[in-house]
Structures are given as C-alpha cells and as structure tokens.
Amino acid sequence: MGTKASLLLLALPLAACGGDGRGYTQVALEVAADAPSAPNQHGYIVTLTRAEASIGPVYFFEGEPLFARVRRQALGLLIGTAYAHPGHYQEGAAVAELLDPRVVDLMAGDAAALGTADGVTGAYNSAELTFGPSADLDGVAIRVAGTAEKDGQTIAFSGSLTDTITIEGITFGATVGTNTAKVRASIDLGAWLERADFGALGADGVLTPGDQPHNALSRGVDNTSSIRFELIEP
Amino acid sequence: MRKLSCVLLAPLALAACGGGTGNLAFTTYGEDFIEVGIPAAPSPDDEGVVDGWSVRYDKFLIVLSDLEVDDDEGASVVGDPTERVFDMTRRGPHAVAAFSELPAGTFREVAVTVKKASGAVAGNATSDDVALMNTAGYSVYVEGEATKGGVTKSFAWGFDTQTRYAECEDADGALGVVIPTGGEAQLQLTIHGDHLFYDDLQSPDAVIRFEAIAGADVDDDGKVTLAEVGAVDLTALPEGEYGTGGDGSVQDLQAFLRDLTRTFVHFQGEGHCHAERL
C-alpha cells in the first residue's frame, strides 16, 4: 500500500477536524461483469464458462485521468492533482482505499461484494484497481475459459494471467457523502478478449505467454476502459 | 496579438490594472533530448533509451499557436492565434512572442495549442520547413535516426494531431503566471521530445524504447515509415510494453506514436498542462 495509504491516513484525522471540509466515510464496493455480447475484432463469438479474478487493492483519487478535466483545490494541500501522463503520472493521494484483495467469480451473475473502503467525503474522480496473483486462485490473478466460435468452428480455450496488473487512471466521477456509499465496478469481459485471435492458439487451446491471444487478454485487462465504476448509492 | 483594454477585463484584472502594467514573454525550448539526442541508458534505472538504441533528431518541427492568458473570470488577457513553426533542434530557448503593457497580477490560466499548420509563419524554422508544414497540414514533423551497434534506422514522420494544452502549472504546482508591475514574466513552453518514444500512453513507469520501431522496418531499407509502424499491431509486441491506458482505440504502433505527440508540451521545464484533444 505504501505512500497512498499513508497519505490517506494522514488525511482522515485532519479531514475529520473539518479543516478542508471533508469528513470520514466508508464506501461499500461490489463488482459485476458483463459477458461478451458481440463478435470480437477477429470475428469470434466468445462464450465464457469461467472468469475469475483476484481483485484488490482498490484506490480512489480526487484527480481525473488522462484527457479528462481536472478538478482542483477540493482537498487543499493534502491531495494533489492527477496527471495520467506517461512517465510523469502523479496520482496524488487516495481519497478512499480497499486494501485486502478478494477472489471473485465473475460468472456468478449477481454483483459480488469486494469489501468496504475507508475514505473521505467529497469528489472521487478516478480509481485504481489491481488484479494480483492469489493463493485462493491457484496462484494466478485472472483465469478464464470458454469457447470461441467462428465460421462454424468452435475452439475451446482456457488461460490465466499470473502477473500483477494494476490499472491506473480509471474514469470515475462521483461525490461521496457521509453516509456509506455503494460503488460498483463493472468489468467488460468482452473487452478482455476483444482482440484475441483464437486461431493463433495451439492445439490444446491454452492461452500461453508469447502467443497472440494471451497478449490480447493481457492488453484487454490492462485497458482502463474495460472497467467502469459507478456510484449506485450515494 | 490581442490586448484587451482594462475596461473589458474582469474584476480581478481590473484590480490588477489599478496596480500597474507589466510585460510577458513566451519562449520555447527543446532541451538536450531534442537538441543533442537521447542516449542509450547505461542501465535500466538511468535516463535514456532502455533497449540499447540511441536516438537523434535532425529536425523537430512543431506549430505553436493560440497563446492564451486568461483571468479567473475567463476574460482574455492575451490571445494570440498566430501559428508559428519552430525547429526545436536549434539551440534554444527561442522567443515565441512578447506582450507589453498587460495588466499586472496573477493569471491562473495559461494555454497554448499545437495545431495543424494552415498559414503558419516562421518561429525559428526555415521558409522551406514552414512551407512543408503548411502544405502537408502537419502540426508536428520529425526527422532523425536511431543507432544500435552497427545498425541505423532513420525516420521522417509528419503528424496532424491537434492538442490544446491548458491549465498550465509549473513543477511546484503554481498555476499560470504572475505578471509583475513594471517587470516582465517569462513563460517557457518546454518541448519533451523523448516522449515520442515512451512505451506506455499513461503509466508512470513508462520508459523510452526504440526496438519495436526499428523492428517495423520490414523491408529493411533502413527507413522506418509511418506506414510500417502502422502495420505493427500492439498485440505483436511484448506484453507489458506499449500499454494504452484507457485508450483502447490505439491498436497499432502508428496510432500509439500519434497519441504520444499529444504529450510534448510542458510548462516551465517539468511543469504540466492539461492536454485536450482537438
């Protein structure tokens, strides 16, 4: 957690004193997933039978991501502005954080609870979410399986991502008050596999580091537009 | 140049007018990375190109336009739509424009636009270079070469991306400019040429690479064209490199480079502006 958590912990007691108008709050986080709904770029109709992920930590920031407007001064000196800029990104301090990761079955249908984040009230303009390897997921961060159908042929596939993937600068715009808010992270599973050319898979159908479908999955997961945060209860 | 009279200015500026006037000078500077070159990084933790290549620009043309300074009410203090072409490989800093007898005071909005040339004039560029930019409608044009071992790859790329850099603040977070009564403020539009070779559109851990660009030279003629980098699908590059952040529309190396042209302009050295796509 490092610097981000430290700054938040610094902010909390100061905010509670009323110095910058922000108070302590909690944010209940849940995650849901949307199944692929259209053929991907390579023409494959993807049907997932398995999609699991170890999610966390999750942070929220006051600053907005790349090419979005930047709100300033809401938190005075404690919170910096965020610049999602290659090599220069300065996220500022977190305004809410959920540190403990949790394995989520993204095919379960209903939204799954991730936990409750500690935070401060006010503007939440971007988020950061990590997929990390977990012993509860056989040591991987993300696991998928399913079929890809094209031109009458069906390819069964499976695969996983083992490395930690931290997705920074996810667009989010909400004002969180003193009541416990609820925020949902919706993951677009179609975006994860949008660029996968399943025809490049080996005969075993396993996404393997170095092959195109594995590369495409890695890039799809790392794409901030594959995750949408929304405030569902203010 | 457009200077507004005091009566047209917003209250803050009116107060400033009462306090006197001052001058403002814009300059631009390409730093050593454009003027001298980008060396190969001795180690991954050092500054430079991390994959053994070194890069040198022979030409780095950029169109700077729409210089803006506004007061807090949005009233224009400086509004200069002139398109000026600069070759940032020339030793700088270079004068861009100067404005005199402006209301003194603090003005938090400073902006500049990099736009496609159409009737641009020379900043410090040659007449031939200005003609090139105007004829092709480029906002940025770069020529140069990269070397690694005994291999050299040259490039000559024109871009028509248009980006407005606004809400500029210095490296300490100070927004805009303070025009002193009876004095002159200087604003440097610092051009970061190393950004064209970053390997991520968003990550703070982006590093400078050239190997993938060199590999795009499929006809091996030593010249890497934009068409060739456009043929490189990002999924053909190593995982962990050339991440696109939130811009899923960037799917090949040419589009990636185009996006990076929107990150060139900085403020007073390492300060930042908010980049808006036009």
Side-chain angles (χ1 to χ4, degrees):
Chain A
M1 59 181 184
T3 303
K4 282 175 277 217
S6 299
L7 289 173
L8 180 63
L9 291 174
L10 173 66
L12 289 177
L14 293 176
C17 292
D20 63 1
R22 290 202 177 216
Y24 172 76
T25 193
Q26 291 187 310
V27 180
L29 290 174
E30 63 180 35
V31 62
D34 299 318
S37 58
N40 77 2
Q41 267 186 21
H42 292 275
Y44 288 96
I45 300 171
V46 178
T47 303
L48 286 168
T49 56
R50 186 175 205 178
E52 299 163 292
S54 173
I55 301 175
V58 178
Y59 296 97
F60 294 94
F61 299 100
E62 189 272 345
E64 293 186 1
L66 187 64
F67 298 124
R69 301 296 298 179
V70 177
R71 292 175 61 88
R72 299 176 187 279
Q73 300 174 323
L75 290 178
L77 295 176
L78 283 176
I79 308 297
T81 51
Y83 289 95
H85 181 115
H88 289 250
Y89 180 72
Q90 297 174 15
E91 64 207 1
V95 291
E97 63 186 17
L98 174 66
L99 299 179
D100 295 329
R102 178 173 178 182
V103 173
V104 176
D105 178 0
L106 298 173
M107 300 299 293
D110 297 329
L114 273 180
T116 301
D118 293 311
V120 293
T121 59
Y124 288 38
N125 290 317
S126 63
E128 173 187 307
L129 181 149
T130 293
F131 297 103
S134 169
D136 295 333
L137 198 57
D138 298 330
V140 305
I142 286 173
R143 186 160 55 195
V144 295
T147 58
E149 183 182 348
K150 178 182 176 182
D151 298 334
Q153 288 194 318
T154 300
I155 299 170
F157 69 87
S158 63
S160 60
L161 299 180
T162 58
D163 293 336
T164 297
I165 298 179
T166 297
I167 307 171
E168 300 164 300
I170 304 169
T171 300
F172 181 52
T175 300
V176 172
T178 53
N179 296 327
T180 298
K182 181 178 284 187
V183 171
R184 176 178 296 168
S186 297
I187 296 175
D188 181 356
L189 298 175
W192 279 11
L193 293 161
E194 173 63 22
R195 303 188 64 194
D197 179 3
F198 292 95
L201 280 176
D204 61 2
V206 177
L207 279 65
T208 305
D211 67 29
Q212 196 277 349
H214 191 281
N215 192 314
L217 173 63
S218 175
R219 292 178 185 279
V221 170
D222 197 30
N223 183 344
T224 60
S225 58
S226 68
I227 299 180
R228 184 182 75 256
F229 278 91
E230 59 182 327
L231 182 69
I232 55 176
E233 289 181 21
Chain B
M1 181 176 96
R2 178 161 59 105
K3 284 192 289 187
L4 300 182
S5 66
C6 288
V7 294
L8 295 178
L9 297 174
L12 183 146
L14 282 169
C17 288
T21 62
N23 303 328
L24 173 62
F26 282 85
T27 64
T28 187
Y29 178 39
E31 302 182 312
D32 280 353
F33 279 161
I34 295 180
E35 294 183 349
V36 179
I38 311 170
S43 78
D45 293 332
D46 290 313
E47 206 168 47
V49 189
V50 300
D51 52 20
W53 290 86
S54 60
V55 180
R56 187 193 75 231
Y57 286 113
D58 297 320
K59 200 176 290 269
F60 192 114
L61 306 179
I62 189 167
V63 180
L64 300 178
S65 181
D66 295 325
L67 303 175
E68 301 172 51
V69 177
D70 295 339
D71 68 20
D72 282 3
E73 305 301 322
S76 177
V77 176
V78 170
D80 181 359
T82 308
E83 300 171 6
R84 298 177 176 89
V85 182
F86 289 88
D87 183 350
M88 305 307 301
T89 62
R90 296 188 173 190
R91 284 287 185 180
H94 312 282
V96 177
F99 305 91
S100 58
E101 298 184 26
L102 300 175
T106 299
F107 302 99
R108 302 203 307 167
E109 173 64 318
V110 172
V112 62
T113 297
V114 175
K115 68 192 305 185
K116 295 190 290 186
S118 61
V121 299
N124 73 342
T126 66
S127 57
D128 285 348
D129 287 339
V130 173
L132 166 69
M133 300 298 276
N134 279 326
T135 301
Y138 290 145
S139 55
V140 172
Y141 178 83
V142 294
E143 284 182 14
E145 63 180 32
T147 60
K148 180 182 180 181
V151 179
T152 297
K153 300 290 185 183
S154 66
F155 55 87
W157 303 328
F159 300 93
D160 62 1
T161 46
Q162 300 194 103
T163 308
R164 179 174 181 261
Y165 297 85
E167 301 177 33
C168 296
E169 64 183 29
D170 68 19
D172 295 324
L175 272 169
V177 61
V178 178
I179 299 175
T181 300
E184 179 180 89
Q186 296 209 350
L187 295 181
Q188 184 185 95
L189 306 171
T190 314
I191 311 302
H192 288 194
D194 55 320
H195 286 197
L196 185 58
F197 302 106
Y198 266 138
D199 75 342
D200 199 289
L201 295 181
Q202 183 165 310
S203 171
D205 302 318
V207 296
I208 304 168
R209 297 183 189 275
F210 195 82
E211 188 69 35
I213 295 170
D217 182 23
V218 290
D219 61 7
D220 203 26
D221 67 350
K223 300 174 184 175
V224 183
T225 66
L226 274 181
E228 286 175 321
V229 291
V232 178
D233 190 293
L234 296 183
T235 62
L237 300 177
E239 292 178 24
E241 298 178 11
Y242 295 91
T244 57
D247 194 345
S249 67
V250 177
Q251 300 190 354
D252 63 63
L253 201 46
Q254 182 191 118
F256 196 94
L257 295 174
R258 279 178 57 84
D259 249 36
L260 287 173
T261 66
R262 301 182 185 281
T263 69
F264 286 158
V265 176
H266 286 62
F267 187 63
Q268 307 283 53
E270 293 298 319
H272 289 85
C273 304
H274 177 72
E276 302 169 358
R277 301 169 187 230
L278 300 179

